[in-house]
């Protein structure tokens, strides 16, 4: 049934078409008259002027019909040379002021706008030049529109101004589209201009008044953010996804199916490039978007669009994580081959070349028996793509294919000689002619890194070192582009994961050249870098002298201002500002490093001098095929390195997998065999050989693990002769995430230890926690306890922690292996008795026992980062799994509850590596705090408490309970006596399970 509204639209269109059939010829005649009059004082090429007199009126009459205009364009192809865009711009700017406003708006503007749009789509001639014509016309039209708006604003006719502003917004939208497609010029400047144009259009185009136009501009804005070079890449992609989703509010399948399909395709591209979130899930979302698009873009109806979306789908399947890898690759190959039936070299040369490139990449990933044959097919396809992707016509695409060809040559198995090396290096260096540091910093870093790996594979360590060094320096600049806050800590982790192989490669090259000190410095550079930067930003007022703080603050503000201009496209000269920003960062780093050599400026020698003569550091670093062990003492001029071939990395990895699997699936078996497992670990790590390298005068040991070694109780390892690390180092054994964080913690002077804040048994199901906390409370002159039901998240938020010297959390803890930032200390009222209506992983967490936690009522790692513990000497996490970290990410970041408290201000954190026993933990903690009251350092106090618990007999325990007059009510006292009586062994807590879970981290 036809609605009244539909009838009105059809009638309006009929009237419009009828009028235009009469009006357009009149306007075309007027245009010919204007062009016949020579308004220009310049000498105009006769052929060019004749061409304009022919093409512009016909364009106006035909409403920009390409079929009718193409013959004229073909006959005059030589006119459309590199000088024509500038001539057309100058000519229009010269004559427009000399004609009346009616002729400018109603005659000249429509003609040149439609003509430029045709040129942009014209398949012949120089495409880059055709786009320049389009851009020059759009810029000219934009100036016309702006001047008209200025004139109209003087008339104060709001309706006219409003209607004309929409014309101006349309020009801005077209301008954005033109700059997005532009080939010439600096790409990052083109994209920034496109973003500015989109934002300008959206100031006028509202969702309510002009929904379809608003959606069109949102769509273009999404493309611009997705392609953006400046600013933080992950944030740009999030903005891109947001813009596309905005567009889809209007572009629905039912009302605007083609627009909907186009936005779905672009949204799929954004999800495929997404940095935040889970990569596998992002790819699945991209595939869904592409499949949505193909509901409209069928091969029969829209063959070109169908081929484009299918090509994107093929790339997504080649990267897909879910499903069979072999089946995904085979499906990708089949799709690419089907696409080439539409994208032929004759009709679609650019698209054909792009598909050949993607087909080559997919062949390179084939995992069947014909690997060599597929690699040869890959090389051939890349070379075929380069027939069209020339440096002159498609410089960025040419560089991309050269880059991928270099990757292929560097791993090519057919010719195991230097020919492959030279071919790979030649391909990379060619790509570097386009992918420069200034224009494409990320691509530049990738190329330099690939050069480093290629040189390394072909035994050229000096060249590898230089390339890795250049790549790492670039990555450090890229890292600086990301601001903190609003989830950007996660962005920095993702960036570190992306580039971490560079640091591994550099460490390996340094070791190959016997540059042990450099190897350790680069290993440190990759570790906990984001956390170090966070703490430096937070604590720089207490770390540096006042005058240095003032200089650092000034540089920080100027850097933030400059970065904001770049990210929001408000800089007049983005290139110059980007260079200035780099200089500012260099000044900041040099000033910072002069007073505290840390972060990007970490150096071994200044750090070594901060160590006491009695302290030794053992730092582990896992590369692709080795476990490196660095030993650092004040006495050694460079790190002592254990023989890299001594430790079998495969054996260590197998041991770790068995250990973690047993802990996750068979806890009783894991607990029963814990001592045996640790004895085996000591042999695999050759702990005796490591300790023998340490000077005998060193009585304190600091361990710096790496990756999964953070999860192991290394302090509980035994030594030869029935001794232990505790025996060898009477001053204590502690941990640090990195030398840099250790150095930072040493700058935190926390001499006072009288003010306690404690969370006590918030869930009410920990029998001996009340004894633990109330006994510990008696050792402090000031205390603030949140007991049981009042120990809520709201109560912690309402408590000022700035004056606290010790924060003690005696509660349940939970480490979230899939979302480490949602790991939490469980507080009162957090566990739900019934599931929420719409649970989500951001706010709720399903427990293994079937319960559900409301994370908003827990103290999560995210929320710990917001605490202020500026006077805190110690945080004790007397709970389960509070020392576990995210070891599965490849960024070398220390992500777990301890990192949150270190950032919040604590000098030291004591945490646990597994689900602990509540009775033994209560005794251990009470003894630990007794030792602290004697003035012992945290690591030593914990060590002595652990040795005491380990050797404690049942009789000694009874005596100790009586002597310490623990605060026990009659019921609890009776239960405790019964529990102690039921303990079977003479030394009931001798197993490492009871005492080795807790470790001291930090100072």
């Amino acid at each position: 049934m036809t609605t009244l509204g539909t009838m009105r639209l059809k009638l309006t269109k009929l009237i419009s078409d009828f009028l235009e059939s009469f009006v357009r010829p009149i306007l075309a005649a007027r245009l010919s008259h204007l062009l016949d009059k020579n308004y220009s004082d310049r000498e105009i090429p006769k052929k060019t002027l004749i061409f304009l007199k022919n093409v512009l009126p016909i364009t106006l009459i035909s409403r920009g019909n390409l079929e009718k205009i193409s013959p004229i364009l073909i006959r005059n192809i030589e006119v459309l040379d590199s000088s024509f865009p500038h001539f057309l711009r100058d000519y229009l700017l010269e004559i427009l002021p000399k004609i009346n406003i009616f002729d400018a708006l109603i005659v000249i503007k429509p003609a040149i706008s439609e003509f430029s749009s045709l040129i942009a789509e014209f398949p012949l001639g120089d495409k880059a030049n055709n786009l320049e014509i389009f851009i020059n016309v759009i810029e000219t039209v934009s100036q016309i529109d702006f001047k008209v708006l200025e004139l109209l604003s003087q008339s104060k006719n709001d309706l006219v101004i409003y209607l004309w502003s929409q014309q101006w917004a349309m020009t801005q939208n077209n301008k954005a589209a033109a700059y997005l497609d532009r080939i010439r010029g600096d790409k990052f400047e083109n994209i920034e201009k496109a973003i500015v144009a989109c934002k300008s259009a959206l100031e006028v185009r509202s969702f309510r008044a002009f929904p379809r136009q608003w959606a069109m501009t949102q769509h273009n804005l999404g493309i611009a953010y997705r392609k953006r070079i400046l600013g933080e890449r992950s944030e740009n992609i999030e903005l891109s996804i947001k813009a596309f989703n905005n567009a889809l509010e209007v572009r629905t399948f039912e009302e605007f199916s083609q627009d909907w399909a186009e936005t779905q395709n672009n949204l799929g591209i954004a999800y495929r490039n997404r940095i935040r979130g889970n990569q596998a899930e992002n790819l699945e979302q991209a595939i869904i978007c592409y499949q949505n698009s193909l509901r409209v873009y069928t091969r029969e109806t829209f063959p070109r669009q169908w081929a484009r979306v299918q090509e994107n789908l093929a790339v997504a399947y080649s990267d897909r994580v879910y499903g069979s890898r072999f089946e995904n690759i085979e499906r990708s190959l089949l799709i690419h081959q089907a696409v080439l039936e539409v994208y032929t070299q004759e009709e679609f040369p650019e698209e054909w070349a792009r598909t050949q490139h993607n087909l080559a990449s997919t062949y390179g990933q084939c995992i069947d028996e014909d690997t060599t044959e597929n690699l040869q097919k890959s090389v051939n396809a890349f070379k075929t793509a380069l027939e069209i992707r020339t440096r002159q016509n498609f410089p960025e695409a040419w560089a991309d294919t050269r880059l991928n060809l270099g990757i292929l040559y560097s791993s090519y198995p057919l010719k195991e000689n230097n020919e492959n090396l030279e071919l790979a290096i030649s391909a990379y260096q060619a790509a570097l002619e386009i992918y420069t540091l200034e224009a494409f910093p990320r691509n530049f870093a990738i190329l330099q890194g690939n050069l480093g790996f290629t040189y390394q594979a072909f035994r050229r360590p000096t060249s590898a070192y230089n390339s890795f060094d250049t790549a790492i320096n670039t990555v450090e600049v890229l890292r600086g582009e990301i601001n903190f806050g609003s989830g950007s800590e996660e962005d920095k982790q993702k960036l570190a994961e992306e580039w971490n192989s560079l640091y591994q490669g550099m460490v390996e090259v340094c070791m190959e050249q016997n540059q042990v000190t450099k190897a350790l410095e680069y290993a440190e550079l990759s570790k906990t870098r984001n956390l170090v930067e966070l703490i430096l930003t937070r604590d720089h007022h207490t770390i540096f002298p006042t005058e240095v703080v003032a200089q650092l603050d000034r540089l920080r503000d100027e850097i933030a201002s400059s970065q904001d201009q770049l990210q929001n496209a408000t800089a007049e000269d983005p290139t110059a500002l980007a260079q200035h920003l780099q200089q500012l960062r260099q000044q900041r780093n040099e000033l910072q490093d002069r007073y505290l050599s840390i972060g990007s400026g970490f150096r071994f020698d200044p750090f070594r001098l901060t160590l006491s003569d009695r302290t030794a550091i053992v730092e582990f670093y896992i590369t692709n095929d080795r476990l490196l062990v660095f030993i650092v003492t004040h006495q050694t001029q460079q790190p002592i390195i254990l023989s890299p071939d001594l430790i079998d990395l495969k054996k260590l990895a197998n041991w770790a997998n068995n250990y973690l699997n047993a802990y996750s699936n068979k806890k009783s078996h894991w607990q029963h065999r814990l001592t045996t497992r640790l004895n085996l670990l000591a042999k695999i790590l050759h702990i005796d050989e490591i300790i023998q390298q340490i000077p005998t005068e060193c009585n304190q040991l600091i361990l710096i693990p790496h990756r999964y070694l953070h999860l192991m109780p290394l302090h509980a390892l035994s030594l030869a002769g029935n001794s232990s690390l505790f025996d060898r180092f009477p001053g204590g054994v502690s941990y640090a995430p990195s030398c840099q964080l250790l150095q930072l913690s040493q700058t935190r002077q926390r001499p006072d230890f009288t003010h306690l804040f404690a969370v006590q048994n918030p869930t009410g199901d920990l029998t001996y926690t009340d004894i633990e906390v109330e006994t510990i409370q008696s050792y402090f002159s000031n205390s603030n306890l949140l007991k049981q039901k009042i120990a809520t998240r709201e109560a912690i938020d309402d408590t000022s922690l700035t004056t606290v010297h010790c924060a003690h959390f005696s509660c349940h803890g939970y480490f979230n292996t899939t979302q480490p930032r949602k790991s939490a200390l469980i507080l009162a009222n957090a566990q739900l008795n019934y599931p929420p209506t719409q649970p989500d992983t951001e706010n709720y967490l399903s427990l293994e026992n079937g319960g559900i936690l409301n994370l908003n009522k827990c103290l999560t790692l995210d929320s710990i980062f917001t605490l202020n513990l500026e006077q805190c000497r110690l945080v004790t996490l007397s709970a389960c799994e509070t020392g576990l970290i995210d070891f599965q990410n490849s960024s070398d970041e220390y992500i777990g509850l301890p990192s949150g408290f270190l950032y919040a201000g604590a000098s030291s954190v004591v945490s646990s590596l597994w689900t602990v026993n509540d009775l033994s933990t209560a005794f251990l903690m009470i003894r630990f705090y007794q030792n602290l009251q004697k003035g012992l350092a945290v690591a030593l106090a914990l060590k002595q408490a652990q040795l005491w618990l380990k050797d404690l007999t049942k009789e000694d325990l009874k005596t100790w309970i009586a002597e310490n007059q623990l605060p026990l009510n009659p019921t609890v006292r009776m239960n405790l006596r019964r529990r102690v009586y039921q303990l079977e062994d003479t030394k009931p807590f001798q197993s490492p399970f009871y005492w080795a879970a807790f470790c001291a981290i930090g100072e």
Side-chain angles (χ1 to χ4, degrees):
M1 181 180 292
T2 304
T3 64
L4 183 61
T6 305
M7 291 177 64
R8 285 176 178 171
L9 286 173
K10 288 182 177 180
L11 181 60
T12 302
K13 188 175 187 306
L14 284 172
I15 294 172
S16 175
D17 292 345
F18 178 75
L19 289 174
E20 281 210 4
S21 65
F22 285 95
V23 171
R24 279 189 174 256
I26 297 172
L27 295 178
R30 178 63 181 168
L31 177 59
S32 296
H33 172 73
L34 292 171
L35 292 172
D36 282 336
K37 295 183 67 174
N38 187 6
Y39 287 101
S40 175
D41 298 327
R42 295 161 12 103
E43 184 177 340
I44 303 172
K46 185 177 180 181
K47 194 165 186 178
T48 302
L49 190 57
I50 292 172
F51 167 67
L52 289 176
K53 287 180 179 180
N54 285 332
V55 77
L56 291 179
I58 294 175
T59 300
L60 202 54
I61 292 172
S62 68
R63 301 182 188 178
N65 189 312
L66 184 59
E67 290 183 6
K68 294 183 178 181
I69 305 300
S70 286
I72 302 175
L73 296 178
I74 294 170
R75 287 197 305 268
N76 293 273
I77 195 74
E78 70 276 6
V79 173
L80 303 173
D81 60 12
S82 59
S83 64
F84 184 78
H86 304 291
F87 159 76
L88 184 60
R89 179 195 61 201
D90 295 342
Y91 176 68
L92 291 171
L93 290 176
E94 187 175 3
I95 69 171
L96 283 170
K98 299 176 182 179
I99 60 179
N100 62 56
I101 195 69
F102 174 86
D103 287 335
L105 295 178
I106 309 302
V107 181
I108 297 288
K109 177 186 170 182
I112 61 174
S113 295
E114 291 176 353
F115 166 72
S116 64
S117 297
L118 290 175
I119 289 290
E121 297 176 7
F122 187 50
L124 302 180
D126 185 339
K127 182 174 181 178
N129 198 58
N130 293 344
L131 284 171
E132 289 304 298
I133 297 171
F134 183 40
I135 287 170
N136 277 284
V137 171
I138 287 293
E139 289 285 8
T140 305
V141 169
S142 182
Q143 292 183 43
I144 296 172
D145 285 347
F146 187 73
K147 288 178 181 179
V148 171
L149 273 175
E150 286 183 331
L151 290 172
L152 290 175
S153 64
Q154 297 173 9
S155 70
K156 298 182 180 179
N157 188 325
D158 292 340
L159 178 60
V160 174
I161 293 172
Y162 180 73
L163 292 175
W164 186 255
S165 67
Q166 297 306 315
Q167 292 292 320
W168 179 81
M170 181 181 296
T171 302
Q172 293 299 313
N173 185 74
N174 293 339
K175 182 179 176 181
Y179 275 110
L180 286 174
D181 291 337
R182 193 183 189 193
I183 295 172
R184 293 178 185 167
D186 288 325
K187 184 174 181 179
F188 71 88
E189 287 186 358
N190 291 335
I191 294 172
E192 294 307 303
K193 288 178 179 178
I195 291 173
V196 170
C198 286
K199 289 182 176 179
S200 297
L202 288 171
E203 290 177 6
V204 176
R205 289 181 161 180
S206 67
F207 171 76
R208 288 187 176 182
F210 297 91
R212 189 169 187 182
Q213 291 83 352
W214 175 84
M216 180 194 302
T217 306
Q218 289 284 356
H219 176 90
N220 287 338
L221 185 61
I223 294 174
Y225 273 124
R226 194 192 72 220
K227 293 182 175 181
R228 196 181 195 192
I229 298 170
L230 293 180
E232 175 196 335
R233 186 182 177 211
S234 63
E235 179 63 20
N236 287 335
I237 294 176
E238 294 303 307
L239 291 171
S240 173
I241 292 172
K242 181 181 178 181
F244 288 134
N245 281 320
N246 285 342
L248 288 172
E249 292 181 24
V250 177
R251 294 182 159 194
T252 62
F253 174 75
E254 293 76 16
E255 293 192 44
F256 306 105
S257 59
Q258 285 182 244
D259 293 340
W260 176 82
E262 185 63 23
T263 301
Q264 286 285 352
N265 176 53
N266 279 280
L267 182 59
I269 297 172
Y271 270 115
R272 182 163 59 83
N273 293 327
R274 195 182 190 202
I275 295 174
R276 298 181 186 175
N278 181 277
Q279 183 185 12
E281 292 176 1
N282 288 336
L283 274 173
E284 293 305 300
Q285 188 62 49
I287 290 172
I288 291 171
C289 290
Y290 297 143
Q291 290 171 338
N292 284 341
S293 185
L294 291 169
R295 290 172 59 190
V296 177
Y297 288 154
T298 63
R299 181 171 180 175
E300 296 73 25
T301 312
F302 300 99
R304 187 173 184 178
Q305 292 88 336
W306 172 86
R308 176 162 50 88
V309 180
Q310 287 283 12
E311 184 182 2
N312 291 334
L313 185 61
V315 173
Y317 272 115
S318 68
D319 295 335
R320 195 183 190 201
V321 177
Y322 294 150
S324 163
R325 179 70 177 152
F326 177 81
E327 291 178 3
N328 288 333
I329 293 294
E330 287 298 309
R331 188 166 186 176
S332 178
L333 289 172
L334 290 173
I335 295 173
H336 279 312
Q337 289 158 357
V339 167
L340 286 171
E341 295 175 10
V342 175
Y343 281 163
T344 62
Q345 185 174 6
E346 295 74 22
E347 289 191 71
F348 304 105
E350 185 180 352
E351 291 83 354
W352 174 83
R354 185 180 62 230
T355 306
Q356 290 286 357
H357 173 99
N358 291 332
L359 180 63
S361 298
T362 307
Y363 272 127
Q365 298 179 58
C366 280
I367 53 176
D368 59 14
E369 296 178 357
D370 299 322
T371 300
T372 301
E373 181 182 349
N374 285 325
L375 287 173
Q376 185 62 60
K377 287 180 181 178
S378 181
V379 170
N380 293 340
F382 278 133
K383 288 182 176 180
T384 301
L386 289 171
E387 294 175 12
I388 301 298
R389 290 185 156 192
T390 63
R391 180 179 175 180
Q392 181 179 3
N393 292 334
F394 304 102
E396 188 180 344
W398 173 80
D400 189 35
T401 299
R402 288 286 183 184
L403 164 61
N404 282 274
L405 195 54
I407 294 172
L408 204 63
Y409 278 132
S410 64
S411 58
Y412 203 52
L414 292 180
K415 302 176 183 177
E416 295 186 359
N417 51 46
N418 285 338
E419 182 180 352
N420 285 339
L421 171 64
E422 299 306 325
L423 288 170
I425 291 171
S426 176
Y428 289 142
Q429 290 177 339
L432 281 170
E433 296 172 14
I434 303 300
Y435 287 151
T436 62
L437 172 61
E438 295 75 21
F440 300 95
R442 187 177 296 270
N443 301 72
F444 176 81
I446 290 171
L447 275 162
Q448 291 292 350
N450 287 347
L451 274 170
F453 290 118
T454 303
Y455 284 128
Q456 184 184 17
F458 285 89
R459 303 295 181 186
R460 295 193 184 180
T462 302
S463 297
Y465 180 94
N466 293 334
S467 294
F468 281 138
D469 186 57
T470 302
I472 288 172
N473 288 337
T474 306
V475 170
E476 294 302 319
V477 172
L478 288 175
R479 192 196 301 262
E481 295 295 335
I482 300 177
N483 287 324
F484 295 119
S486 303
S488 60
E489 291 86 355
E490 181 181 357
D491 300 336
K492 278 183 169 276
Q493 177 197 336
K494 293 287 180 69
L495 180 67
E497 288 178 5
E498 182 178 347
W499 298 110
N500 199 54
S501 60
L502 290 177
Y503 297 91
Q504 282 191 23
M506 182 58 121
V507 170
E508 291 168 350
V509 167
C510 289
M511 291 300 300
E512 189 175 345
Q513 293 183 305
N514 200 32
Q515 296 187 48
V516 178
T517 299
K518 282 287 184 184
L520 177 59
E521 288 174 349
Y522 277 106
E524 272 291 319
L525 193 59
S526 74
K527 284 186 174 184
T528 66
R529 178 62 189 281
N530 299 336
L531 185 57
V532 167
E533 287 187 358
L534 278 168
I535 294 174
L536 275 175
T537 302
R538 178 186 176 116
D539 288 358
H540 73 289
H541 285 274
T542 58
I543 293 173
F544 301 104
T546 305
E547 65 277 9
V548 175
V549 170
Q551 294 180 63
L552 287 171
D553 285 345
R554 178 183 59 79
L555 287 168
R556 180 201 60 203
D557 293 342
E558 192 171 352
I559 288 169
S561 174
S562 300
Q563 185 170 299
D564 182 71
Q565 291 181 56
L566 287 175
Q567 292 182 342
N568 292 291
T570 58
E572 294 182 3
D573 187 345
T575 304
L577 186 60
Q579 294 173 351
H580 179 60
L581 189 58
Q582 189 172 354
Q583 294 171 356
L584 291 174
R585 289 197 182 97
Q586 185 175 351
Q587 293 177 33
R588 177 199 60 190
N589 292 343
E590 289 176 355
L591 182 63
Q592 178 179 292
D593 296 344
R594 195 182 311 159
Y595 290 90
L596 183 64
S597 181
I598 204 166
S600 62
F602 176 80
R603 295 293 177 266
F604 169 76
D605 287 334
F607 170 74
R608 178 182 63 84
L609 295 175
T610 65
L611 298 177
S612 75
D613 292 339
R614 295 184 173 276
T615 300
I617 294 176
V618 173
E619 178 161 0
F620 299 91
Y621 189 80
I622 299 172
T623 69
N624 288 321
D625 57 358
R626 291 176 176 179
L627 172 65
L628 301 178
V629 181
F630 300 96
I631 300 167
V632 180
T633 67
H634 184 86
Q635 295 88 330
T636 54
Q637 296 300 310
Q638 69 171 9
I640 301 169
I641 184 76
L642 198 69
S643 173
D645 298 322
L646 188 61
I647 298 173
D648 189 327
L649 186 59
K650 289 184 178 179
K651 280 187 179 180
L652 177 61
N654 288 335
W655 181 94
N657 284 332
N658 292 332
Y659 174 92
L660 295 173
N661 286 334
Y663 177 72
S664 299
N665 302 315
K666 302 176 181 178
K667 276 196 172 55
S668 60
H669 180 268
W670 167 86
Q671 178 180 341
H672 178 71
R673 291 183 52 80
L674 182 57
T675 300
T676 303
R677 291 182 188 276
L678 293 180
N679 288 337
L680 179 57
L681 177 60
K683 293 179 181 178
I684 293 173
L685 286 177
H686 291 267
I687 194 69
D688 287 301
E689 287 89 337
I690 294 173
I691 300 307
Q692 287 170 7
Q693 304 294 323
I694 297 175
T696 55
E697 58 266 32
C698 293
N699 69 349
Q700 180 185 6
L701 177 64
I702 301 173
L703 297 167
I704 301 179
H706 192 214
R707 305 274 173 86
Y708 50 81
L709 289 177
H710 280 289
L711 308 182
M712 313 306 168
L714 302 179
H715 59 284
L717 297 181
S718 58
L719 299 176
N722 200 28
S723 65
S724 67
L725 287 178
F726 281 164
D727 297 325
R728 170 62 181 83
F729 298 99
V733 180
S734 61
Y735 293 83
S738 68
C739 290
Q740 300 169 84
L741 274 175
L742 180 63
Q743 193 172 355
L744 269 178
S745 68
Q746 291 171 344
T747 66
R748 290 174 165 170
Q749 301 301 318
R750 306 281 194 265
D752 299 322
F753 201 62
T754 59
H755 190 170
L756 171 72
F757 168 80
V759 168
Q760 176 181 329
N761 195 15
T763 52
D765 57 353
L766 296 171
T767 306
Y768 301 102
T769 289
D770 293 334
I771 302 172
E772 171 189 322
V773 176
E774 289 171 16
T775 303
I776 291 170
Q777 180 188 18
S778 66
Y779 303 143
F780 290 85
S781 55
N782 296 296
S783 61
N784 180 8
L785 268 59
L786 298 180
K787 297 182 180 181
Q788 298 193 6
K789 292 183 179 180
I790 66 169
T792 64
R793 170 69 187 276
E794 292 81 3
I796 292 178
D797 290 343
D798 292 338
T799 302
S800 174
L801 301 178
T802 55
T803 60
V804 168
H805 304 144
C806 175
H808 186 95
F809 295 86
S810 191
C811 55
H812 287 295
Y814 182 85
F815 182 74
N816 191 327
T817 55
T818 56
Q819 291 182 287
R821 291 186 175 277
K822 300 304 178 185
S823 300
L825 297 173
I826 301 173
L827 302 174
N829 304 326
Q831 191 154 349
L832 304 180
N833 296 324
Y834 52 89
T837 306
Q838 292 181 325
D840 61 85
T841 56
E842 281 295 312
N843 298 298
Y844 298 96
L845 179 67
S846 297
L847 300 176
E848 294 177 359
N849 61 9
I852 294 180
L853 287 179
N854 183 345
L855 292 174
N856 295 312
K857 294 185 177 297
C858 296
L859 194 61
T860 63
L861 176 55
D862 281 332
S863 56
I864 290 168
F865 271 93
T866 67
L867 301 178
N868 185 350
L869 299 171
E870 60 185 31
Q871 297 299 319
C872 190
R873 175 181 164 192
L874 170 66
V875 170
T876 304
L877 305 178
S878 181
C880 301
E881 299 184 344
T882 53
L884 299 185
I885 68 154
D886 179 16
F887 71 95
Q888 294 177 329
N889 79 77
S890 59
S891 69
D892 286 357
E893 276 303 309
Y894 184 73
I895 302 171
L897 296 177
S899 66
F901 284 107
L902 288 172
Y903 169 71
S907 296
S908 299
V909 179
V910 169
S911 57
S912 63
L913 295 176
W914 53 74
T915 302
V916 293
N917 176 274
D918 64 336
L919 179 64
S920 60
T921 296
F923 296 150
L924 177 67
M925 286 296 147
I926 293 171
R927 186 71 172 195
F928 168 53
Y929 277 90
Q930 288 177 340
N931 293 338
L932 288 173
Q933 295 306 310
K934 298 175 184 177
L936 299 182
V938 171
L940 182 56
L942 181 61
K943 170 213 161 183
Q944 290 191 1
Q946 289 173 319
L947 286 176
W948 168 80
L949 186 67
K950 175 186 175 184
D951 295 331
L952 192 67
T953 65
K954 286 176 64 173
E955 293 303 317
D956 292 336
L957 179 57
K958 293 176 183 177
T959 303
W960 180 81
I961 292 173
E963 290 177 349
N964 283 272
Q965 299 180 348
L966 301 182
L968 307 172
N969 62 48
T971 302
V972 173
R973 184 180 298 276
M974 184 178 298
N975 288 336
L976 180 59
R977 285 177 178 172
R978 185 181 299 113
R979 181 81 178 268
V980 171
Y981 176 79
Q982 291 172 347
L983 295 174
E984 296 179 359
D985 298 330
T986 305
K987 295 182 178 181
F989 306 121
Q990 189 173 20
S991 167
F993 168 76
Y994 294 105
W995 57 268
F998 288 95
C999 32
I1001 303 158
E1003 187 182 6

